Amino acid sequence: MTYDFDRCAPRRGTGCVKWDTAECGPDTIPMWVADMDFRVAEPIIEALHRRVEHGVFGYTEVGDAYYKALIDWFARRHAWTIRREWVIYTTGVVPAISAIIKAITLPGDKILIQSPVYNCFFSSIRNNGCGVEDNPLVYTDGTYHIDFDDFERKAADPKVRAFLLCNPHNPAGRVWSRSELERMNDICLRHNVMVIADEIHCELVMPGHRFTPFASVSAACEANAIVCNSPTKSFNIAGLQIANIICPDERVRERIDRAININETCDVGPLGVEAFIAAYNESEGWIDALCLYLNDNYQALRAHFAQHHPACTVTQLEGTYLVWVDIRSTGLDADALTRKLLEEGDVLVNSGMMYGEVSGRHFIRINIACPRHIMLEGLARISKVLDKLNHTTD
């Protein structure tokens, strides 16, 4: 089957955060927030049509088909055996992370992270009265690595109760290897630190790379894992609000379930459930084709920067559709360049400082999950601003 990712689904004027944010003018190209401009897989649309035709949208019972879709998908795609009793459904990965932190920490505890990292990690930690303990990733030769010595020093702090892992990593673009995951867990076990794994980008993996679920690495990882995942990012259904927490430890799971109820995020809607089942049961070909298209977009972006702005290093993209670009050669920090791109180029990207004020200061994040002609127009606008900036500083 063929899939047309070059088709443009008009989104402006639909109440869309990406296109209708107050920062976007009528001609702005938005390449910022992490959702895609592609029409979703037809089986998902057909499942939603069938449910809408029923005409009643009351409280939803999450039944056997939901759990079977989840369990079969991860067994087939990722060789990870999930037991039904491990699963707690909720409305989204961010509410899930917040509830987990509430369940396993006390105010004043610390959570270990690896910046630059998804901005909601910071807010979820602080909103629960905890502190951020940062193990900054090391940037060398256009990619990121873990400073394991620093990781161990930070994990050894008795106030550090959990490690919030991003796998695949947003915005660094890493898909962590089995050995890296195992080594991180070994350190966490030595210091009684539980691992919360945000794996929402797990299907968005570039050719030549393989996603490994943290809990699938070993029995020790499984026992120390609380995993958050969802098809919403990969299948472009984030607005339907559906996600899962997968926790093998029964005692910890009971505490999380209580926190989910305290946070009032224990109910999901019928459309999210139907889309979830159709994504995992009927849309595998779509996601495989999507990853190939995204990789082609990434290669086109790399070629563009190599030809026009070789001093701006494009970080290697192993997973996600969010490209991390080193802009220190411009002489501006990320906030300043992001403003200039919007004001002078009418293109909206993310400042790296959202993901760590220090570790993201010299980077911007570009969302390439759009038809290629839109991406290329956005890159052309970025180039005009960079060319003007270079001419001014010469």
Side-chain angles (χ1 to χ4, degrees):
M1 186 173 181
T2 59
Y3 303 92
D4 185 7
F5 296 108
D6 288 317
R7 177 183 177 185
C8 185
R11 303 185 67 192
R12 184 170 275 118
T14 64
C16 162
V17 168
K18 185 176 182 180
W19 287 78
D20 291 328
T21 181
E23 293 179 277
C24 283
D27 298 313
T28 304
I29 294 180
M31 304 178 77
W32 65 295
V33 68
D35 76 1
M36 300 189 283
D37 293 327
F38 307 121
R39 183 177 169 90
V40 305
E42 285 301 318
I44 297 174
I45 294 172
E46 291 165 4
L48 292 174
H49 273 307
R50 289 192 298 269
R51 188 64 184 82
V52 168
E53 283 297 317
H54 180 259
V56 181
F57 311 102
Y59 297 119
T60 299
E61 180 77 16
V62 176
D64 292 344
Y66 178 94
Y67 295 100
K68 187 176 188 306
L70 172 72
I71 291 166
D72 288 354
W73 177 270
F74 279 93
R76 182 173 70 251
R77 294 276 294 195
H78 304 299
W80 179 26
T81 300
I82 299 172
R83 297 181 185 175
R84 176 170 172 160
E85 62 266 25
W86 295 352
V87 181
I88 302 171
Y89 58 79
T90 187
T91 55
V93 164
V94 173
I97 291 171
S98 182
I100 293 164
I101 293 171
K102 187 184 295 294
I104 68 172
T105 69
L106 294 172
D109 287 342
K110 296 179 182 179
I111 309 291
L112 183 61
I113 63 164
Q114 296 171 316
S115 72
V117 74
Y118 179 43
N119 53 296
C120 285
F121 280 17
F122 298 93
S123 57
S124 292
I125 292 168
R126 289 167 177 153
N127 287 346
N128 281 284
C130 293
V132 172
E133 188 69 49
D134 191 12
N135 164 233
L137 296 175
V138 179
Y139 178 70
T140 53
D141 299 325
T143 191
Y144 281 89
H145 304 281
I146 300 164
D147 181 342
F148 280 103
D149 291 336
D150 182 70
F151 187 93
E152 178 124 33
R153 283 193 297 272
K154 301 294 175 58
D157 183 339
K159 283 188 171 291
V160 171
R161 304 302 302 152
F163 164 45
L164 189 44
L165 167 70
C166 197
N167 178 40
H169 193 97
N170 167 25
R174 282 297 315 278
V175 177
W176 301 116
S177 69
R178 181 175 293 270
S179 62
E180 288 170 318
L181 295 170
E182 187 165 37
R183 188 173 177 186
M184 286 188 281
N185 189 60
D186 288 345
I187 293 171
C188 286
L189 286 175
R190 281 199 290 275
H191 302 289
N192 196 31
V193 173
M194 197 148 203
V195 178
I196 308 167
D198 174 358
E199 299 186 341
I200 195 170
H201 290 273
C202 66
E203 308 306 333
L204 299 164
V205 176
M206 299 299 102
H209 299 279
R210 183 176 181 83
F211 166 74
T212 302
F214 173 79
S216 74
V217 170
S218 66
C221 286
E222 180 181 283
N224 198 39
I226 307 170
V227 176
C228 302
N229 62 31
S230 171
T232 55
K233 195 69 67 178
S234 301
F235 291 92
N236 205 28
I237 53 174
L240 297 179
Q241 301 289 294
I242 193 80
N244 291 302
I245 300 167
I246 302 168
C247 180
D249 186 310
E250 182 179 6
R251 179 184 59 84
V252 175
R253 191 168 65 247
E254 288 174 354
R255 291 164 62 185
I256 295 169
D257 190 54
R258 176 62 180 155
I260 286 285
N261 281 271
I262 290 171
N263 281 9
E264 308 273 1
T265 55
C266 52
D267 292 322
V268 294
L271 300 184
V273 171
E274 294 297 332
F276 179 101
I277 295 168
Y280 283 154
N281 284 351
E282 303 176 71
S283 306
E284 193 162 5
W286 185 90
I287 197 71
D288 289 339
L290 170 70
C291 288
L292 293 176
Y293 187 90
L294 291 173
N295 184 60
D296 287 345
N297 270 5
Y298 171 64
Q299 298 303 332
L301 180 146
R302 280 183 66 92
H304 178 91
F305 273 92
Q307 179 179 352
H308 299 287
H309 313 288
C312 293
T313 303
V314 176
T315 301
Q316 295 177 33
L317 187 69
E318 299 175 2
T320 81
Y321 48 72
L322 304 163
V323 182
W324 194 238
V325 180
D326 184 338
I327 51 88
R328 73 190 69 216
S329 64
T330 66
L332 298 178
D333 69 27
D335 281 354
L337 181 59
T338 299
R339 287 193 300 270
K340 186 174 283 289
L341 290 173
L342 181 60
E343 294 167 0
E344 300 180 17
D346 217 7
V347 59
L348 179 58
V349 301
N350 286 117
S351 165
M353 294 171 74
M354 291 177 60
Y355 312 103
E357 187 172 348
V358 175
S359 55
R361 179 173 296 275
H362 299 296
F363 294 83
I364 59 172
R365 194 188 78 165
I366 302 175
N367 180 346
I368 61 169
C370 58
R372 191 160 301 126
H373 71 276
I374 293 177
M375 184 193 76
L376 293 175
E377 172 59 25
L379 294 178
R381 295 184 184 192
I382 290 172
S383 283
K384 288 182 180 178
V385 174
L386 295 182
D387 287 344
K388 182 179 177 182
L389 185 62
N390 290 339
H391 179 74
T392 301
T393 57
D394 283 347

